[in-house]
Amino acid sequence: MKIHWQNERLIVAEGDITRFDGDAIVNAANKSLLGGGGVDGAIHRAAGPELLEACRELRAREWPDGLPVGEVAITPGFRLPAAYVIHTVGPVYAKSEDRSELLANCYRNSLRVAAERHFSRLAFPAISTGIYGYPADAAAGIVSDVMRELLPALPGLEVTLMFFSAADAEVYLRHA
Ligand code: ADP
């Protein structure tokens, strides 16, 4: 992972989130929780088949209709270096409707779970900015607002925003 910027609480980095060695990584999952493309597929491949099994159990026990957009569910990380995976479902981008609160909720709820579990290191991918089509600069503004709003109240937590390319990290830093 390459660090582009950091302060005491927030790190803006470029790299593969499946290699993040901390308490948890966030997965940009889909409603089904049963895996998909992009970062979701990469996380399932790296975590091994136990992750899919754990997600199936979550569906059966807690989310029979799938995980709603903006909500979170947690599983172990299995073969990942990270101990846990916090699964969240980002909104699909739409020009006709402002879905920024839904995207903000993915980050807020993930931070809440991390705080409840006393995690000290958490990494996020750029939720919704791949297959779900959210413009990277609009997402950056939303994410930086949530971090500004919530990180001061979560003193034990260090958050890494893990972008998949240098260009994506730079977009964040320009629009944050
Ligand atoms: P969504 O469906 O929420 O848009 P995607 O997985 O398609 O999710 O993309 C979300 C972001 O994750 C994109 O910016 C994509 O480049 C990035 N990404 C894909 N694979 C990885 C990975 N292994 N580590 C970190 N980020 C990744």
Side-chain angles (χ1 to χ4, degrees):
M1 125 177 165
K2 181 180 172 204
I3 293 176
H4 285 248
W5 180 90
Q6 78 183 109
N7 66 18
E8 319 82 73
R9 311 294 309 290
L10 187 65
I11 296 173
V12 176
E14 168 197 344
D16 179 352
I17 201 166
T18 66
R19 316 223 2 219
F20 181 80
D21 190 357
D23 298 290
I25 61 173
V26 175
N27 181 17
N30 58 50
K31 225 178 134 51
S32 81
L33 289 178
L34 301 180
V39 72
D40 192 9
I43 289 171
H44 274 270
R45 276 193 300 279
E50 298 93 336
L51 181 59
L52 183 58
E53 204 37 58
C55 287
R56 285 213 177 93
E57 278 170 29
L58 269 178
R59 278 294 303 272
R61 266 190 293 117
E62 288 179 52
W63 302 103
D65 300 324
L67 188 64
V69 175
E71 291 291 331
V72 296
I74 187 164
T75 65
F78 299 103
R79 302 178 198 183
L80 290 167
Y84 292 91
V85 178
I86 298 173
H87 306 264
T88 189
V89 183
V92 174
Y93 180 71
K95 275 194 181 140
S96 56
E97 189 181 74
D98 179 4
R99 296 182 176 165
S100 55
E101 277 302 300
L102 292 169
L103 184 57
N105 284 345
C106 293
Y107 286 85
R108 292 185 186 120
N109 285 323
S110 298
L111 290 173
R112 177 178 49 75
V113 168
E116 282 167 6
R117 296 199 172 223
H118 306 290
F119 290 166
S120 52
R121 294 185 66 229
L122 173 70
F124 285 96
I127 299 166
S128 285
T129 65
I131 298 160
Y132 283 2
Y134 225 98
D137 54 350
I142 294 160
V143 174
S144 74
D145 284 352
V146 170
M147 296 303 152
R148 247 197 306 271
E149 171 196 333
L150 293 185
L151 281 188
L154 304 170
L157 187 63
E158 177 192 88
V159 170
T160 298
L161 302 178
M162 188 73 82
F163 293 94
F164 207 33
S165 69
D168 289 345
E170 292 304 325
V171 167
Y172 179 84
L173 290 171
R174 272 204 306 279
H175 291 270

